[in-house]
Amino acid sequence: MTEESDAEETPSDSLFQAPPMGEQERMVEAVLFASAEPVSVRDLESRMPHGCDAAEALVRLRKRYEGRGVQVLKIGDAWAIRTAPDLGFLMQKETVETRKLSRAAIETLAIIAYHQPVTRAEIEEIRGVSVSRGTVDQLLEMEWIRFGRRKMTPGRPVTFVVTPQFLDHFGLESARDLPGLKELRSAGLLENRLPPSALPTVSDKDEDDEDIGAGQPELFED
Amino acid sequence: MTEESDAEETPSDSLFQAPPMGEQERMVEAVLFASAEPVSVRDLESRMPHGCDAAEALVRLRKRYEGRGVQVLKIGDAWAIRTAPDLGFLMQKETVETRKLSRAAIETLAIIAYHQPVTRAEIEEIRGVSVSRGTVDQLLEMEWIRFGRRKMTPGRPVTFVVTPQFLDHFGLESARDLPGLKELRSAGLLENRLPPSALPTVSDKDEDDEDIGAGQPELFED
Amino acid sequence: MSVAERVAAEALIVDVDGFEGPLDVLLTLSRTQKVDLRKISVLQLAHQYLAFVEKAKALRLELAADYLVMAAWLAFLKSRLLLPPDPTEEGPSGEELAAHLAFQLERLQAMRDAAARLMGRDRLGRDFFARGQAEDVARIKTVTYTATLLDLMQGYARIRTRDEFRPFVMDRDSVFTMEQALERMRPLIGFAGTWTDLTTYMPDGWDTDPVRRRSATAATFAASLELVKEGHLEIRQTETFAPIQLRRKDERS
């Protein structure tokens, strides 16, 4: 404030000389871009070097973005960069909701990947709990697993194997590229900490009534 | 797919005609601005109208933003807008505290980046000490490294490679742009020179020249 | 030894825990030679390293085995470098071994420099920044499920680790289900005109192993309750922990 008037008269003025307007425009552009919320002129100036004229820089920046894919908008007292309204249709993908696969699904998938071709009974044997139909259906639907050959054992049960889409998603050339137990251990993924499964809860129960006996072993699922 | 050939011959072709390049540039601009993560060319094109050339639009957009407060960067196969590094001082509010890495972790990271794909044994050979579990685990968790392909050597050991997140964090377009890479390579310092038999090593390694040759083409695998 | 050298050596010893292995010590020692790593005197370095190990021993510092292995090897290398080559001896010459050691040191130093340059780069979230407010314009909502390779491996590791904690998981062959118990009991209850102990309905071969017995008891009990609910059975227990008794329900009464 006082420095501003001083700057015009004293020899120290170069110290406080504001950067050129082009530079100020860059600054405003970067701050508006990186900020999570609209930024007020006052806030902009408090961040910028002394003597900057954020209001002027904003006017120029707004002009520069006219007709571009994004615009500089005033929202209340503050400023922000927003997508041009006619391009809203491009933003649809921004709301695709990605959810982590459930623990049951990840474990089932892991067993299929490591033991394929593997039957449902074998998966249950390894996991120690029954596998709900929903879990398998979900993995089938995602096209990460598919039915393999039937096993030549009594009942000729179907097997599951992983798909090329699975390999693609996880960046693997083949399922053989999966790290082995020894490597998992040396990468610190196989600590001997007590598994959370030691505490039985009833949450995350699969609603698959058709599986006989499903209810009870599921009790011990994480 | 079929539309493409149809478009050339049938009168309906105007329906599939790509928008003018200026318009495509706006679209790419809008999508990159809206996303915090890098967006791949494939992803861009899937969101843009049929027939668009996102790669070309990106090149133009990058040029347009040269010298501005934000820049268009290529990161691996994807593109993103990032603020110009010289304006970092304006962004104290946005700065995120990155976890402090140990010296061992930093060295391990650098070795993976410069020698990738690289096995644990090779990292140990270079550092002269065994790599602790926690170090690799930490880098995996930060998503700066991931498991790469197995090496075609006895035991088929897994390798480590750096990730797109690593490139994004360090502002690298690809692993080829690592600082000093060329000099290191021409000085022979990225070679996997075999120790003469009597040298003490951290762990048993048995690799022959053939395998080292096999590893090389993968050096810059993305 | 000059004062400066002594001070340097002392510092090394005090810091022995700070070293990342023998190669790191050698690299630090090599700095005192103040020459290009390519022109380093490996012989001199071997001397320095052996002196370092001696000093550590004198101060009764515990050195890890790696350090001692390196010391033994350097002593061997030293003798090879000093003695004229023995033509009958097999294996790499002293010079070859020394050259490889110099290469290792140079490579480690190069990686350290590279690491420093890497960490000194402009970095996301510190020097340059991503979009602060990713826009959320769309109204279309699709759910996709995702998992990383790490999730997958951790999941697998979790199962394999869990194997060591089997007690929490029932083996299938030790589980007698309520359905099985019902199936067994239905034909039997027609004969239960008088009060009969529940245990007499237990399946054969399920009474010795405690795990199997527990499962069979629970299933038989649950099945009994089911049959009571259906109106086929009556159930009683005279006092807490007393035997549970069953009787066919007289349909006419």
Side-chain angles (χ1 to χ4, degrees):
Chain A
M1 290 152 266
T2 35
E3 292 99 304
E4 209 163 277
S5 48
D6 284 349
E8 285 159 25
E9 295 146 298
T10 65
S12 72
D13 87 15
S14 64
L15 265 177
F16 298 106
Q17 206 157 51
M21 188 43 75
E23 216 27 51
Q24 295 188 33
E25 223 190 291
R26 289 181 75 228
M27 293 177 186
V28 168
E29 187 177 34
V31 172
L32 291 194
F33 173 83
S35 173
E37 278 147 37
V39 191
S40 68
V41 173
R42 179 199 291 241
D43 194 2
L44 277 168
E45 286 187 349
S46 75
R47 292 180 182 214
M48 292 161 73
H50 181 82
C52 282
D53 183 351
E56 171 65 16
L58 277 163
V59 169
R60 287 170 185 243
L61 192 69
R62 161 130 80 168
K63 193 148 184 108
R64 185 187 283 274
Y65 275 98
E66 254 167 34
R68 304 292 319 153
V70 293
Q71 322 178 298
V72 177
L73 287 184
K74 190 163 187 215
I75 296 161
D77 283 343
W79 295 77
I81 298 179
R82 290 279 182 269
T83 312
D86 65 310
L87 298 178
F89 72 96
L90 291 169
M91 297 315 135
Q92 288 173 351
K93 216 165 173 188
E94 241 55 57
T95 55
V96 168
E97 194 184 326
T98 44
R99 285 190 207 153
K100 279 266 177 205
L101 262 187
S102 70
R103 175 186 274 241
I106 285 174
E107 290 185 4
T108 304
L109 182 63
I111 292 167
I112 295 170
Y114 276 91
H115 294 266
Q116 65 171 339
V118 63
T119 67
R120 173 190 287 259
E122 287 164 346
I123 297 170
E124 297 185 338
E125 173 68 25
I126 295 167
R127 271 194 81 210
V129 290
S130 72
V131 176
S132 87
R133 173 178 289 192
T135 303
V136 172
D137 281 350
Q138 186 186 13
L139 295 172
L140 284 168
E141 207 174 286
M142 294 173 78
E143 305 197 312
W144 279 359
I145 63 168
R146 62 175 178 79
F147 290 103
R149 277 193 200 152
R150 285 182 181 275
K151 254 212 167 136
M152 299 312 266
T153 53
R156 304 201 68 220
V158 286
T159 60
F160 298 100
V161 294
V162 293
T163 61
Q165 287 93 322
F166 165 88
L167 298 175
D168 193 36
H169 181 92
F170 292 99
L172 297 164
E173 202 171 8
S174 87
R176 273 186 302 273
D177 285 345
L178 282 166
L181 280 185
K182 224 176 92 191
E183 286 145 357
L184 293 178
R185 184 169 278 123
S186 63
L189 296 171
L190 241 182
E191 309 275 14
N192 280 333
R193 50 184 116 93
L194 200 70
S197 60
L199 294 171
T201 68
V202 277
S203 67
D204 198 29
K205 250 186 75 166
D206 302 294
E207 335 84 294
D208 195 341
D209 292 327
E210 286 173 55
D211 271 349
I212 293 169
Q216 202 168 10
E218 282 290 335
L219 189 62
F220 297 96
E221 203 192 11
D222 358 289
Chain B
M1 288 162 270
T2 38
E3 291 98 306
E4 210 163 282
S5 49
D6 284 348
E8 285 161 24
E9 295 147 295
T10 66
S12 71
D13 88 29
S14 65
L15 265 177
F16 298 106
Q17 208 159 49
M21 189 42 76
E23 208 39 39
Q24 294 188 33
E25 220 191 292
R26 288 184 72 228
M27 292 178 188
V28 167
E29 187 177 33
V31 174
L32 291 195
F33 257 95
S35 170
E37 304 296 320
V39 186
S40 71
V41 174
R42 180 206 291 232
D43 197 1
L44 278 166
E45 285 186 350
S46 77
R47 290 157 75 171
M48 293 161 74
H50 181 82
C52 283
D53 182 353
E56 170 65 17
L58 283 162
V59 169
R60 289 171 183 238
L61 192 70
R62 160 135 79 171
K63 190 138 190 125
R64 180 183 291 274
Y65 276 92
E66 259 167 29
R68 299 272 297 275
V70 295
Q71 320 179 300
V72 177
L73 296 183
K74 186 164 189 241
I75 298 152
D77 287 337
W79 294 72
I81 296 182
R82 300 282 180 253
T83 64
D86 65 307
L87 299 177
F89 71 95
L90 294 167
M91 249 60 81
Q92 277 104 338
K93 228 172 144 182
E94 281 76 27
T95 304
V96 281
E97 238 1 273
T98 35
R99 192 145 48 128
K100 200 105 174 94
L101 282 177
S102 67
R103 191 172 137 199
I106 291 170
E107 277 180 31
T108 303
L109 178 66
I111 291 168
I112 294 170
Y114 283 82
H115 290 260
Q116 64 171 332
V118 64
T119 66
R120 169 184 291 264
E122 288 163 348
I123 298 170
E124 295 183 337
E125 160 74 15
I126 293 168
R127 295 195 63 229
V129 281
S130 54
V131 176
S132 88
R133 203 184 271 187
T135 304
V136 172
D137 200 20
Q138 188 185 18
L139 295 173
L140 282 169
E141 230 167 70
M142 293 174 83
E143 302 197 313
W144 281 1
I145 64 166
R146 63 174 180 84
F147 288 99
R149 278 185 200 162
R150 284 177 184 280
K151 243 187 186 164
M152 298 313 261
T153 55
R156 301 199 71 219
V158 286
T159 61
F160 297 100
V161 294
V162 292
T163 61
Q165 286 92 327
F166 166 88
L167 298 177
D168 193 16
H169 184 88
F170 291 99
L172 294 162
E173 188 171 322
S174 84
R176 266 182 290 266
D177 298 330
L178 284 164
L181 184 77
K182 250 188 233 148
E183 294 82 349
L184 287 170
R185 182 148 3 112
S186 60
L189 292 169
L190 300 183
E191 276 164 33
N192 206 337
R193 209 176 287 177
L194 293 173
S197 47
L199 263 182
T201 52
V202 189
S203 47
D204 316 351
K205 278 191 3 161
D206 26 37
E207 280 160 331
D208 31 58
D209 308 80
E210 176 193 45
D211 307 318
I212 291 148
Q216 287 304 73
E218 287 182 18
L219 188 59
F220 300 109
E221 186 196 31
D222 307 274
Chain C
M1 223 191 232
S2 75
V3 175
E5 275 171 339
R6 266 209 312 278
V7 169
E10 296 278 309
L12 286 181
I13 304 256
V14 172
D15 264 359
V16 76
D17 285 337
F19 281 110
E20 305 242 347
L23 219 49
D24 189 24
V25 172
L26 282 167
L27 197 55
T28 307
L29 290 170
S30 70
R31 288 204 191 100
T32 60
Q33 290 191 22
K34 294 197 174 100
V35 292
D36 186 336
L37 273 175
R38 283 163 194 253
K39 294 177 192 139
I40 199 161
S41 160
V42 170
L43 191 58
Q44 193 185 335
L45 195 57
H47 275 302
Q48 285 174 298
Y49 185 91
L50 294 171
F52 158 79
V53 170
E54 281 311 308
K55 196 122 202 180
K57 275 189 191 155
L59 290 174
R60 294 165 189 275
L61 283 171
E62 287 282 340
L63 282 181
D66 297 1
Y67 291 84
L68 301 177
V69 170
M70 181 60 89
W73 184 78
L74 284 172
F76 162 77
L77 175 62
K78 208 173 107 181
S79 68
R80 280 240 164 158
L81 289 172
L82 289 175
L83 300 172
D86 178 353
T88 64
E89 193 124 29
E90 286 188 11
S93 71
E95 277 73 23
E96 281 168 338
L97 293 173
H100 189 79
L101 180 62
F103 166 74
Q104 280 184 297
L105 292 175
E106 199 193 344
R107 184 173 59 179
L108 180 59
Q109 185 58 53
M111 279 301 113
R112 292 216 168 137
D113 295 343
R117 284 173 80 179
L118 187 65
M119 299 316 277
R121 282 184 70 85
D122 291 327
R123 289 163 66 179
L124 180 66
R126 190 189 74 180
D127 306 293
F128 62 95
F129 296 84
R131 183 71 165 132
Q133 191 179 28
E135 267 175 83
D136 216 4
V137 186
R139 296 117 208 147
I140 292 177
K141 203 169 177 178
T142 8
V143 179
T144 60
Y145 289 90
T146 174
T148 66
L149 190 55
L150 197 59
D151 293 332
L152 196 67
M153 294 183 310
Q154 278 169 338
Y156 190 65
R158 198 161 51 226
I159 302 161
R160 301 320 300 231
T161 316
R162 195 156 57 203
D163 278 356
E164 291 153 37
F165 299 89
R166 287 294 290 189
F168 294 105
V169 179
M170 276 198 206
D171 284 315
R172 294 226 120 190
D173 60 0
S174 297
V175 175
F176 195 70
T177 65
M178 193 179 93
E179 283 81 356
Q180 286 172 292
L182 272 174
E183 207 172 80
R184 178 177 166 75
M185 290 179 77
R186 281 192 199 279
L188 294 178
I189 54 171
F191 304 101
T194 55
W195 288 107
T196 322
D197 203 310
L198 174 84
T199 52
T200 59
Y201 291 94
M202 294 275 284
D204 297 328
W206 284 73
D207 50 355
T208 41
D209 178 349
V211 175
R212 285 163 73 89
R213 188 170 63 230
R214 203 161 9 169
S215 173
T217 309
T220 306
F221 179 61
S224 308
L225 292 178
E226 183 60 29
L227 291 167
V228 170
K229 203 169 104 192
E230 288 175 14
H232 300 306
L233 265 188
E234 288 179 303
I235 191 164
R236 75 173 185 188
Q237 186 178 31
T238 51
E239 58 176 308
T240 315
F241 299 122
I244 295 167
Q245 295 178 313
L246 307 172
R247 186 172 68 178
R248 183 185 66 211
K249 186 164 185 188
D250 199 339
E251 247 96 18
R252 284 150 301 180
S253 67

